[in-house]
Amino acid sequence: YCLNEDGMKGMGYFVTDIDWHGPYTMMAEARAMANGDPRYIGYLASSAFNKGSIKYVREFNSNFLALPALPSSLVENASDDPEIVVRKIEANEYGTYLAIMNTSFEDKSSVNIKLPVRGDVADASNGIMILADVSEITLDMFPAQLKSFIIFPSTGKLPQTIEIKDILVKSSDDEPFKVS
């Protein structure tokens, strides 16, 4: 099919597309996050949208969707590795969000990240508090990985957990019961 009705007489055109494999599946998105405002990630891939290595797609999307749809800013010199990019999103009373991207085609081990504010750090993708009263974190990251975190004002403590043993199947009309 001709792209320009008169411009490519007899030549036509073809489209080729490739799917990256493994963590590289998300490299375009990781670099888009690192180099621009992450509110505007989009896709253009021939006439179909395909992604390989769904594990990496799901992890990236889980972290991406955990970030608020607010403007971000680059945190200069936050990482001791220039291929690890840190962007912050100020969410006022909801904390400071971080999007940390590995823009390299290599695994990165023990990367030190200086936080823009001191505080308690939660994994934004699952809400689990992971560090208390810190000003830096150390990460291992695979290529094209996005990690999202929330920093809250420090309480100085990690949250406590309560573990309840399995409860047998119960109905709403059963007698009250004790848990241990």
Side-chain angles (χ1 to χ4, degrees):
Y1 299 98
C2 189
L3 286 173
N4 183 339
E5 285 123 17
D6 296 323
M8 299 175 70
K9 292 197 187 296
M11 186 172 181
Y13 76 97
F14 71 93
V15 173
T16 183
D17 200 357
I18 62 167
D19 285 333
W20 288 92
H21 181 68
Y24 312 103
T25 297
M26 301 308 294
M27 187 58 77
E29 291 81 358
R31 289 185 173 177
M33 290 281 296
N35 294 305
D37 196 324
R39 294 179 294 168
Y40 301 112
I41 287 183
Y43 300 95
L44 174 61
S46 303
S47 63
F49 173 73
N50 299 307
K51 284 286 186 181
S53 304
I54 195 69
K55 166 184 148 183
Y56 296 102
V57 174
R58 286 182 176 152
E59 180 173 333
F60 185 96
N61 289 344
S62 164
N63 280 276
F64 177 75
L65 293 172
L67 297 168
L70 296 169
S72 70
S73 60
L74 188 64
V75 181
E76 298 285 342
N77 303 314
S79 171
D80 57 0
D81 184 318
E83 293 181 307
I84 302 294
V85 177
V86 180
R87 297 187 75 85
K88 73 175 179 175
I89 301 171
E90 296 291 349
N92 301 320
E93 69 269 16
Y94 300 105
T96 300
Y97 285 77
L98 293 184
I100 304 173
M101 290 73 55
N102 179 2
T103 63
S104 170
F105 283 95
E106 304 292 328
D107 287 334
K108 299 292 182 166
S109 299
S110 301
V111 177
N112 190 44
I113 306 291
K114 295 175 201 84
L115 303 178
V117 295
R118 185 177 191 89
D120 296 343
V121 179
D123 182 325
S125 70
N126 62 24
I128 296 174
M129 195 68 66
I130 55 173
L131 295 167
D133 195 28
V134 294
S135 59
E136 57 186 49
I137 57 177
T138 302
L139 301 173
D140 294 331
M141 298 184 77
F142 54 79
Q145 186 174 17
L146 164 65
K147 290 192 176 203
S148 58
F149 298 100
I150 310 169
I151 307 169
F152 298 104
S154 184
T155 62
K157 302 180 205 175
L158 286 175
Q160 295 179 336
T161 59
I162 298 173
E163 198 170 311
I164 298 174
K165 291 184 181 178
D166 290 340
I167 298 172
L168 300 175
V169 176
K170 298 285 184 179
S171 297
S172 60
D173 58 348
D174 287 350
E175 295 292 319
F177 60 94
K178 292 184 178 186
V179 295
S180 59

